[in-house]
Amino acid sequence: DAGVIQSPRHEVTEMGQEVTLRCKPISGHNSLFWYRQTMMRGLELLIYFNNNVPIDDSGMPEDRFSAKMPNASFSTLKIQPSEPRDSAVYFCASSPQRTGFGGYTFGSGTRLTVV
Amino acid sequence: AQKVTQAQTEISVVEKEDVTLDCVYETRDTTYYLFWYKQPPSGELVFLIRRNSFDEQNEISGRYSWNFQKSTSSFNFTITASQVVDSAVYFCALSEATGRGADGLTFGKGTHLIIQP
């Protein structure tokens, strides 16, 4: 099992540019989550999907952020346009349908720097 | 709304000492799950333990042990005979189980544990 795979590991971009972060969940996991980690706010849930359907996006900070899950094996988090305050580590996690049976497995994260 | 509080921002101990990391949670649900994750300097989040709200038995795994007490809404983590490799940020987290399936985790702010040689 390759675990949750995120790409890229590091991204440096200029303010105003579009940024796309990618995630491949563990095969068979039906739930996918995007988190953001910053020094000021800690780990925050941005959005999560169950069976490819967005369930709760109340954590998405602004309309500049969007997430999609076109199929069970791929999800993207897009920021357009990016701003310096978006600099953070973005984690993707996946889980089986019920938390009691599987818990959550996190990817290695994408460190985003917006200059 | 759910909330997780880790009051200890940073703890520093000398190797081989025992250390306890505190976690207090708030939830209105009767069914929920509690977690501990370790984040070493490399940055990844490493799963340590998951407990459901109906199982208050303490758990021991090697040098690690967890004390879950619903009466005080606490889920504390103890490392016995600490080692330098235990140095990391430790996060306590809560998930409420709803009929919709897996819900997201609410994390505490984390405790930075420093083990000095």
Side-chain angles (χ1 to χ4, degrees):
Chain A
D1 189 345
V4 176
I5 300 173
Q6 291 187 246
S7 63
R9 288 297 305 276
H10 302 275
E11 177 80 34
V12 180
T13 191
E14 291 186 347
M15 182 174 62
Q17 296 297 306
E18 177 180 297
V19 176
T20 299
L21 311 182
R22 297 173 175 79
C23 176
K24 176 179 170 58
I26 291 174
S27 177
H29 281 194
N30 295 325
S31 297
L32 183 139
F33 307 81
W34 283 100
Y35 291 85
R36 178 173 68 174
Q37 185 177 28
T38 61
M39 289 294 293
M40 291 296 295
R41 302 177 65 88
L43 277 155
E44 305 173 276
L45 176 65
L46 300 178
I47 184 171
Y48 72 94
F49 298 82
N50 276 349
N51 295 318
N52 311 338
V53 177
I55 301 300
D56 186 351
D57 66 354
S58 60
M60 297 285 261
E62 300 173 36
D63 291 344
R64 298 184 296 106
F65 286 70
S66 63
K68 293 181 180 180
M69 192 165 186
N71 57 62
S73 59
F74 184 65
S75 177
T76 59
L77 177 67
K78 185 178 294 186
I79 307 173
Q80 165 63 21
S82 58
E83 297 182 2
R85 58 195 169 118
D86 301 331
S87 297
V89 179
Y90 291 82
F91 287 100
C92 176
S94 69
S95 173
Q97 184 72 15
R98 306 298 299 184
T99 59
F101 295 116
Y104 303 82
T105 303
F106 284 80
S108 299
T110 294
R111 181 174 295 277
L112 174 65
T113 303
V114 183
V115 298
Chain B
Q2 52 190 346
K3 183 179 178 181
V4 177
T5 301
Q6 295 180 256
Q8 304 150 309
T9 304
E10 183 174 290
I11 300 175
S12 181
V13 300
V14 177
E15 198 172 21
K16 298 183 182 177
E17 288 186 8
D18 299 347
V19 59
T20 295
L21 310 182
D22 297 334
C23 173
V24 174
Y25 63 91
E26 296 177 25
T27 177
R28 295 179 182 174
D29 282 6
T30 56
T31 302
Y32 52 90
Y33 300 89
L34 294 164
F35 300 77
W36 276 94
Y37 282 86
K38 174 182 180 180
Q39 188 173 44
S42 53
E44 70 269 28
L45 285 162
V46 179
F47 168 79
L48 295 178
I49 189 172
R50 176 186 69 250
R51 304 296 282 179
N52 71 58
S53 53
F54 299 109
D55 183 359
E56 285 192 75
Q57 283 191 343
N58 292 333
E59 180 149 341
I60 298 175
S61 177
R63 297 184 296 107
Y64 295 173
S65 63
W66 291 269
N67 183 357
F68 176 27
Q69 292 194 343
K70 290 179 72 171
S71 61
T72 56
S73 298
S74 64
F75 186 43
N76 296 337
F77 173 33
T78 297
I79 301 175
T80 303
S82 60
Q83 299 176 2
V84 172
V85 293
D86 296 327
S87 297
V89 180
Y90 291 85
F91 292 96
C92 180
L94 167 71
S95 174
E96 294 172 339
T98 72
R100 301 175 301 183
D103 275 357
L105 289 164
T106 296
F107 283 90
K109 293 296 185 186
T111 297
H112 184 198
L113 177 63
I114 301 168
I115 310 297
Q116 300 178 14

